Structure formats: C-alpha cells, structure tokens
Amino acid sequence: MLAYIARRLLYAVPILIGVNLITFVLFFVVNSPDDVARMHLGMKHVTPEAIEKWKEEHGYDQPLLYNADEQGVAKLTDTIFFEKSVKLFAFDFGSSDAGRDIGDDISQRMWPSLAIAVPTLLLGLLVHISFAMLLAFFRGTYLDLSGVVLTVILMSISGLFYIIGGQYLFSKVLHLVPISGYEPGWQAWRFVLLPVLIGVFSGLGSSGRWYRTIFLEEIGRDYVRTARAKGVPELKLLFTHVLQNAMVPILTGVVAVLPLLFMGSLIMESFFGIPGLGSYTIEAIQTQDFAIVRAMVFLGSVLYIIGLLLTDLSYTLVDPRIRLS
Amino acid sequence: MIKPVILWTDALVFLLVGIVVVFAFYARRHEHLRAPWREVVRGRIAVASLVVLAFYTLTGLLDSVHYRKALPMQDGQVEVQYGGEVFSLLDALLGDVGSQVEKTYSAPFAYTLYTRETVVDENGVQKRIFPRLKYGGAHLDDPATQRGADIAARSLAALWQALAFMLVLTLLLSLWLAGRWRLSPARALRRLLRGDSDVPWRTALFTIFLFALLAALIVNLASAWHVLGTDKVGKDVLYQTLKSVRTGLVIGTLTTLIMLPFAVTLGMMAGYFRGWVDDVIQYLYTTLNSIPGVLLIAASVLMMQVYMDTHPELFETMAERADLRLLFLCLILGITSWTGLCRLLRGETLKLRELDYVQAANAFGVARRVILVRHLLPNLMHLVLIAVVIDFSGLVLAEAVLSYVGVGVDPTTMSWGNMINRARLEMAREPMVWWSLLAAFSFMFTLVLAANLFSDAVRDAFDPRLRR
C-alpha cells in the first residue's frame, strides 16, 4: 500500500512540472514582463524608466531563464523562472502585484470558502441522493417521468439564474437573509445559508439525474433480483443493498473534488461577497493581478492531483476487487 | 454600396455548415448511419427540439453574413470609403432597431422612459415627467389610448402572415408526402393532420408555426416598439438578445470543431499504438486536465488580452478585434475541453484494437494508417457525435459564466453573458428592471433545453449500449 502511494506521488511530480511550465509560458513568454508592466501603468505615455521601475518593484527585472551576469548557481537562480515558478513547488507564492503576501491571503481566505463549500457538498449529497432514490423507487411511473423532465429543465437553466433569482426572492422580496456579505465566526450562518441552498438546488438537475441512472443500473443487477425473489421488501432492498453498492461510484466522485473545496466557488463567492478564495481569484482576474492568478493555477493543480490520488485510494478501499498494481 | 466582410468565425461557421451538409449526404447513402438518425427523428420531443435548434441556427447564420456600408461620398473624393461598423443580414432584416437608441431604460412596449426627468416646458416651468421615447411608439400621437390597438393590429398582421406561411408549407409538405406515400395529396394531407406518420410531421409543423409566429411578431413589432424594452444605455434588448444567438452558437459549435481533430487523433493514437505514445499523450491530457478549467481559461484570456492591447495595429475594425477574441475563446475552451473525449476514445480504441476484424486486417498486412482511418474511426464516430451534442449546451452555459468572470467574449460583442453581467445589479434597483435578464435567460434556456433534449435523443439512438 505504502509503495503504491509513493509511486503515485512520484507520478504526480512530472505533472506538476508540466503545469508549472505551462503557467510559465502563459505568463512570461506569451507577453514579456515589459508588456505586462506597460499594461499596469496604462497604455499611453509610459516611459521606459517607469517600466523598469515597475519591474524592479515587482521582481520582474531579471532575465527569464538564464542570468549571464551572475556567478555559479546564481546564473540559474537569479531568474524569473526560478523566482516566480520554481519557488511555487515550495508553496512560496511570493507577493501579489499589489504587494500583499499571497500565502497569507490564502491561509486567511480559505476558511470562508470552506464554510460555503463543505455544507454545500454534504447537504447536496443528502438531497440529491434522496431525490434520486425517490425517482428510482417510483421508476416507470408518472412521478419518475416528471422527475426526469424536471431534471432536464433544471439542467438547462443557467447557474447565474439560480443565484440572481435566489437573491431576489429570499433577500429582496422575503427579507429572510442578507443579500451579501460575511462575518467570521458562528454569526456567519446567516450569510452562508442562501449560497448553500442555491448551490444545492442548482446541482439538483445534473446530480439527481446521474444518481438516478446509477441506481437504476444497480437495480437491474442479478443480486437485486435474487434478494427480491427471497422476499426482501422493496424499501429495504433499496436502502441497504442498492444504496450501498451505488455509493461506490458516488463517493469516489466526491472524493475527487474534496481537495478542490478549498478553492471555493468563483461565481457564488463573488455574487454573495464572501471573502473566500473564489472571490480572491475573481478579484485578481478583474484587476489583472497575474501573480495571484498564477499562484491559484498552481494551487488548483496540486489539489486536483491530490484528488486523483485520493480517488484511486478510495477505489481500492471500497472495492476489494480492485487490486493495487 | 456595400463591401462584404468575412470574419474569421464566419469562415469557420460556413466551413462547419459545409461539413454538416457533406456528412448528411454521406449518411444518406449509408444504412448504418441512416438508421439511428431515422430513430432520432421519430421522437416527438426530438423533432420539436430540432425545429427550435433550426430556428436558432437560421438566426445565427443570417447574423454570420457580414458587410460594411459605404460612407457618403465627399466632394472630390475618388475612392469609396467604408464605415468602420460591421452589419449583418440579420440587421438588414430587423431594420433600424439596432440604431434606435433611447436615452436609458424603458420598459417593454413603453412609450416613455422608465425614469423621470426634469423638463422645462414652454412657459418656463420646471416639471418632473416621464419623457416620450425617441423611437418606441413614436409613430402614435396619443400612445396612452392608441397603444393597445396598435399592438393588437400589428400582432394580428403577424398572425395572418404566419398562418399564410404555414398554409403554404403544409400544402407543400403534403404534396411531397403524397409522392412518398403514393396517396392523393388530399389524403396525404388528412393523414398528416391526423398525426399518422412515422416522422411526427404534425409536431414539427406546430413548432414551426410557433416560431414563425414569433418571427413575424418580432418583424412587425420591433420597428415601432421596444418589444423587450431598452437597457441602461438605451439599446433595444430584443435586438441584443437576437444578436447574442450567434455568439452562443459559435461558442457551442466552433469549440468542438477546433478540439475534435486533436481529441480524435490523439485518443486513437494513444489507444492503438500504446507504449510510449500512450504515455506521452496521457501525460499531456492529465497535465492539462489538472489545471482547473476556469483558471486555465482565465489565465489564457488575460494573456491574450494583454497581447491584443499591446498590438492594436493588427485589427482593422472593432468587429474584427472582437471576432478574433471570440475565436481565441473558442480555441482556449477547446484546449481545456478535449481531454474528456480523448480519454474516452483512447479507452474505446484499446478495446476495439483487440477485436477479430482489426486483428485480421493486421494479419493481412493492412497499413496501420488505413486500419486507423478505415476500420477504427467509423466505429468511434458515435462517441464523437454524442460528445459533440452533449458538449454544446454546456458550452453555451459556460459562456455566460465566463463573461461574468470577465474572461469571456469581448465586452463589445453582444452575448447573453455580457447582457447578464451588465444587468445583474438591476434586480436591486427600485423600481426593478427585469427585462434584460429575463430576455437573456429565456433565450438561453430555450436553446439549451432544446439542445439537451435533442442530445438525449441522439444518445439514445447512437449509443449501442442503450440499444435493445
């Protein structure tokens, strides 16, 4: 088992290097630091001195890959590639273009993100599975049919509509919760409630439909027929046999996204003014703070790879037929 | 004098139309391709959504034929100068709606602005009134009493036009079906109206009628009224929504067109050659996949924006610039979305290459290139087709989200995402402005719902695992 994990971890290294190279090319080769500096300083009337000054202040004044002016190892380390890209491996994100420390920002802002993402995931699982179970129990009836139609309709509605509509209905018309904002500590529930509910509801279409397919597939299997022939009541059959076996694909799907919960939801957080990592990223995109975007790209990839690893592990834990090889 | 303009996306859109036409002719002559399509068009829901998609496509295609208008000749000028604004056939059809700009918000079918303004009347007295619109309802002297009658008259005219169109269409269809069914036209018509046919023609005709009526209403009403009101800067919302159709379709289709060659070639190569080829290709897509999609798109679009800002000399008109940005967005979306299909094709090729007929071809010494193209590719096409139709609706929805984040299409391009982005604070206004959002969401919803229903039908017909 340990050897397997170690091998999987080793396999992640070249992928991270690849990600790092892609971000490096995107952020420093497609546009030179000069272009970026010019854009930050405004397009017109930019003197070369101002560009140099900006680059120096933000640490972009070194050569890209190879510094011929330095001695020894410094030829390679006093470069943008080393300072800005290689250091990401040590989770040293450096400072943003606005001068703040990105690592500090991330450790502060991940908590509000989690406060939204974790309840959304848990409540979502509960609601979506119950909904799919309901449809599977009444399979072939009008209830099932209208449920499937409902999921297609829900899937066809833009996620933005759920947010805007939810804010309008619950905050503006009914005054149940504040429209947006956040407060640390337990007081946060008032602000978290609506995003969580909207998140759960907007996922109902696709998840509900997918889970229903999984349940129906499982119901069609031989062991279910055997159990029914032995006289196991339908409800018990669904909740013990079918649910247990259907949980394998569902839970492994969930495990893959667990690490990414840290990143938060871009749209949700920015609509509700939650100071999490999602809105952090959006602000960075809108103010064109490339240092933050670069850090978030790297962080996201690391979390994704951890998710992949966890998925593989959970498969082997849940399903003894799968051997580690 | 006009000068035709072919934007990059126009060219690709027409290329795509060409591909679809060629494929349709190819499929007609091959029974194994005809059979599933025949099954698709037997479903009522599928036919209805196909008609909806056809109307959207028609709008998009009309909007893809672009031209520039000549400027009025100055004295002593020899060469004709063309304006910087790019128009399309859709603009020509809709008349002057696009240029009828009011001052600010106005409600649907309003004849006054939505907000009060201070006006000084002829006696020098200041008054707070709702000023009349420049275009909406401007043809009436006393709109307060005449509005209802005017709208009713125009709607009635639209109804007659649509009915006349449907009458002609139904007769033509029954003549054609009479030939196919070997019946007299009258009996064919009766059978058609009874709904007694394999292909649900009656459903198709009914859907066509609904949309023809809608089109007639738009053409009749839009020249005199702002049917869906105007937005903050006074532009007609209906016009914007219709122009957005093209953007949505382009993103939904061109993205797949761009990514397909990569996904198919790499997926098949990985599955067929295995070994180091497989390793490299797997590494490639795992790496690309591990960057969260939105972030990769955001980073690429930001970088492209900087590039375009620092190289303004590359673009002749604003439209060209916006168009290139749209194309780049498709490209970037394509790069981030080919991995799923690639993995699927790799797995399927791995399975197929062990089958007897491939082994036999191998044993006969058929070149590997030929095996890939002639023996494996046709057996993967159903997966590709299913992926294309399923991706479409997701991409249309993604455009709105990306435009909201600020990494979508150019702000000057009309798109549902941009409309929603601009209007998202309007629900909080007092009094509320709802029409921009409603228009964008309902047009998007109709398109995505039709696409989802149609893709379900396609999947049911083409996926061999689902076939009974």
Side-chain angles (χ1 to χ4, degrees):
Chain A
M1 191 73 178
L2 272 177
Y4 176 75
I5 296 177
R7 204 168 55 238
R8 291 296 318 220
L9 280 176
L10 276 181
Y11 182 63
V13 172
I15 293 178
L16 277 180
I17 293 177
V19 170
N20 209 319
L21 284 178
I22 292 177
T23 46
F24 178 74
V25 168
L26 259 182
F27 283 97
F28 295 110
V29 181
V30 175
N31 295 290
S32 69
D34 284 16
D35 289 340
V36 176
R38 199 171 297 132
M39 190 209 69
H40 271 281
L41 296 168
M43 297 308 284
K44 288 170 193 159
H45 317 299
V46 183
T47 57
E49 293 80 48
I51 291 180
E52 285 307 318
K53 186 161 169 282
W54 189 89
K55 275 163 64 182
E56 201 184 314
E57 276 169 9
H58 295 89
Y60 295 122
D61 52 345
Q62 292 150 326
L64 279 184
L65 284 172
Y66 183 75
N67 195 341
D69 298 337
E70 297 289 333
Q71 295 299 316
V73 193
K75 272 186 197 284
L76 290 177
T77 53
D78 267 7
T79 57
I80 290 185
F81 180 64
F82 186 83
E83 285 291 323
K84 301 286 175 190
S85 283
V86 178
K87 279 193 175 168
L88 288 178
F89 283 115
F91 293 97
D92 177 2
F93 296 114
S95 60
S96 70
D97 289 347
R100 291 172 59 88
D101 187 83
I102 298 179
D104 278 359
D105 276 354
I106 289 179
S107 57
Q108 268 174 27
R109 299 188 73 149
M110 69 186 224
W111 300 112
S113 280
L114 285 176
I116 303 272
V118 174
T120 308
L121 180 83
L122 295 179
L123 192 64
L125 267 181
L126 186 73
V127 171
H128 300 163
I129 290 180
S130 322
F131 178 68
M133 276 300 241
L134 188 75
L135 295 189
F137 183 71
F138 289 102
R139 62 192 173 280
T141 63
Y142 275 102
L143 185 72
D144 181 31
L145 184 73
S146 42
V148 174
V149 171
L150 181 73
T151 55
V152 178
I153 291 175
L154 288 179
M155 274 163 69
S156 306
I157 298 175
S158 168
L160 299 175
F161 179 80
Y162 293 118
I163 299 177
I164 296 176
Q167 277 186 330
Y168 174 73
L169 186 66
F170 293 104
S171 300
K172 199 180 165 209
V173 177
L174 300 175
H175 295 289
L176 291 179
V177 283
I179 283 191
S180 68
Y182 192 74
E183 241 176 80
W186 289 110
Q187 280 304 306
W189 71 269
R190 288 188 305 142
F191 298 99
V192 166
L193 192 64
L194 188 57
V196 167
L197 286 182
I198 290 176
V200 169
F201 189 69
S202 61
L204 185 63
S206 52
S207 299
R209 197 175 170 196
W210 184 46
Y211 293 164
R212 175 182 167 274
T213 323
I214 295 178
F215 287 143
L216 286 188
E217 214 168 277
E218 214 57 49
I219 285 175
R221 290 194 197 281
D222 286 345
Y223 73 88
V224 176
R225 194 162 16 141
T226 315
R228 204 176 283 142
K230 277 165 53 184
V232 179
E234 187 71 19
L235 263 182
K236 193 181 168 208
L237 183 75
L238 271 183
F239 276 97
T240 53
H241 299 264
V242 172
L243 186 60
Q244 254 183 30
N245 283 293
M247 281 318 268
V248 174
I250 295 176
L251 279 186
T252 41
V254 168
V255 167
V257 298
L258 272 185
L260 284 172
L261 293 183
F262 282 100
M263 302 284 290
S265 154
L266 295 183
I267 305 296
M268 211 58 110
E269 288 181 15
S270 99
F271 261 103
F272 286 98
I274 310 280
L277 284 181
S279 54
Y280 187 56
T281 317
I282 288 228
E283 283 158 23
I285 291 172
Q286 278 160 358
T287 55
Q288 309 206 319
D289 195 323
F290 298 137
I292 298 179
V293 179
R294 208 168 55 229
M296 296 312 284
V297 166
F298 188 75
L299 187 65
S301 319
V302 173
L303 294 173
Y304 176 85
I305 291 168
I306 297 176
L308 276 187
L309 188 68
L310 289 179
T311 315
D312 284 356
L313 288 180
S314 63
Y315 262 124
T316 57
L317 289 180
V318 189
D319 195 340
R321 283 171 302 181
I322 298 172
R323 284 201 205 102
L324 308 173
S325 58
Chain B
M1 278 293 283
I2 55 167
K3 172 185 172 186
V5 179
I6 296 182
L7 300 172
W8 272 100
T9 47
D10 294 344
L12 287 170
V13 163
F14 287 111
L15 175 72
L16 189 69
V17 172
I19 293 176
V20 170
V21 170
V22 169
F23 178 75
F25 271 100
Y26 180 80
R28 263 181 77 92
R29 292 198 283 124
H30 291 77
E31 182 55 32
H32 69 282
L33 289 173
R34 266 180 84 159
W37 279 115
R38 222 181 279 140
E39 204 182 312
V40 170
V41 294
R42 268 186 204 147
R44 277 196 198 158
I45 293 177
V47 165
S49 36
L50 193 62
V51 171
V52 177
L53 290 178
F55 269 92
Y56 270 90
T57 314
L58 186 70
T59 317
L61 285 180
L62 284 176
D63 203 10
S64 294
V65 184
H66 286 106
Y67 58 87
R68 280 159 79 180
K69 283 183 187 160
L71 295 175
M73 296 285 266
Q74 305 285 317
D75 285 339
Q77 185 188 347
V78 189
E79 223 174 297
V80 184
Q81 295 277 320
Y82 293 95
E85 223 178 325
V86 175
F87 297 92
S88 74
L89 273 188
L90 186 72
D91 294 316
L93 263 184
L94 288 177
D96 302 321
V97 190
S99 52
Q100 294 178 346
V101 180
E102 307 289 350
K103 204 165 175 190
T104 178
Y105 293 118
S106 67
F109 291 115
Y111 50 86
T112 59
L113 280 181
Y114 200 55
T115 44
R116 278 176 207 273
E117 269 184 12
T118 309
V119 182
V120 184
D121 67 0
E122 59 266 30
N123 302 330
V125 187
Q126 283 195 353
K127 283 198 293 187
R128 298 278 293 164
I129 55 159
F130 294 107
R132 278 288 293 270
L133 295 180
K134 267 189 285 180
Y135 302 100
H139 60 296
L140 300 178
D141 300 325
D142 181 19
T145 54
Q146 294 166 329
R147 176 166 70 170
D150 184 68
I151 293 173
R154 282 167 191 273
S155 310
L156 217 57
L159 183 66
W160 291 130
Q161 285 163 13
L163 280 175
F165 171 73
M166 284 316 290
L167 195 65
V168 175
L169 193 72
T170 314
L171 289 178
L172 283 179
L173 183 68
S174 56
L175 272 181
W176 182 67
L177 285 174
R180 288 192 66 173
W181 290 339
R182 303 184 193 291
L183 288 173
S184 71
R187 293 185 68 180
L189 179 65
R190 221 171 299 147
R191 197 170 147 190
L192 177 69
L193 293 181
R194 260 206 326 268
D196 178 20
S197 55
D198 271 356
V199 176
W201 289 112
R202 198 172 56 170
T203 314
L205 283 176
F206 185 69
T207 325
I208 293 176
F209 172 66
L210 284 184
F211 275 79
L213 183 62
L214 209 61
L217 280 174
I218 288 172
V219 171
N220 277 290
L221 285 167
S223 53
W225 298 96
H226 294 296
V227 178
L228 288 173
T230 54
D231 70 356
K232 192 173 182 182
V233 289
K235 282 192 184 151
D236 190 85
V237 171
L238 177 68
Y239 175 75
Q240 290 183 44
T241 327
L242 287 175
K243 293 286 272 186
S244 304
V245 169
R246 177 179 184 272
T247 315
L249 290 178
V250 161
I251 290 191
T253 53
L254 285 195
T255 302
T256 3
L257 183 75
I258 291 170
M259 89 171 185
L260 264 190
F262 295 100
V264 173
T265 329
L266 293 179
M268 280 174 61
M269 278 169 64
Y272 187 71
F273 293 117
R274 299 195 292 195
W276 65 269
V277 180
D278 190 18
D279 288 342
V280 170
I281 292 172
Q282 275 200 62
Y283 170 71
L284 203 65
Y285 70 60
T286 318
T287 309
L288 270 180
N289 219 9
S290 65
I291 306 176
V294 186
L295 283 175
L296 182 59
I297 294 167
S300 318
V301 171
L302 281 180
M303 283 305 138
M304 175 194 74
Q305 224 166 309
V306 175
Y307 187 82
M308 285 186 159
D309 285 348
T310 43
H311 299 83
E313 69 281 358
L314 293 174
F315 316 104
E316 200 178 328
T317 57
M318 286 293 279
E320 251 171 75
R321 189 190 137 95
D323 178 70
L324 221 58
R325 180 161 169 174
L326 178 63
L327 185 64
F328 267 115
L329 185 67
C330 291
L331 190 77
I332 293 161
L333 278 171
I335 290 175
T336 51
S337 66
W338 64 277
T339 51
L341 180 63
C342 186
R343 185 181 309 166
L344 196 68
L345 290 177
R346 173 184 167 272
E348 193 70 14
T349 315
L350 272 176
K351 229 186 309 172
L352 287 180
R353 79 186 294 279
E354 304 299 336
L355 291 188
D356 289 343
Y357 77 98
V358 181
Q359 294 298 332
N362 249 331
F364 278 126
V366 179
R368 288 196 289 196
R369 188 167 34 89
V370 180
I371 294 185
L372 278 175
V373 176
R374 288 202 49 188
H375 297 304
L376 290 179
L377 187 60
N379 286 307
L380 294 170
M381 282 323 272
H382 68 280
L383 289 179
V384 175
L385 188 78
I386 293 171
V388 169
V389 285
I390 287 183
D391 279 357
F392 176 82
S393 49
L395 287 167
V396 175
L397 291 178
E399 185 273 328
V401 171
L402 290 178
S403 296
Y404 170 74
V405 179
V407 294
V409 295
D410 194 82
T412 59
T413 309
M414 286 178 213
S415 82
W416 292 315
N418 276 341
M419 286 176 72
I420 294 169
N421 191 13
R422 274 197 288 269
R424 77 195 138 96
L425 295 177
E426 287 172 2
M427 296 293 270
R429 274 178 63 96
E430 255 344 303
M432 185 174 72
V433 175
W434 45 269
W435 43 88
S436 274
L437 284 173
L438 182 83
F441 277 129
S442 50
F443 268 72
M444 194 156 65
F445 171 68
T446 314
L447 176 64
V448 174
L449 183 64
N452 274 338
L453 292 172
F454 184 66
S455 73
D456 277 357
V458 169
R459 197 184 47 197
D460 288 349
F462 277 86
D463 197 337
R465 279 176 306 173
L466 297 174
R467 210 171 282 166
R468 291 155 296 273

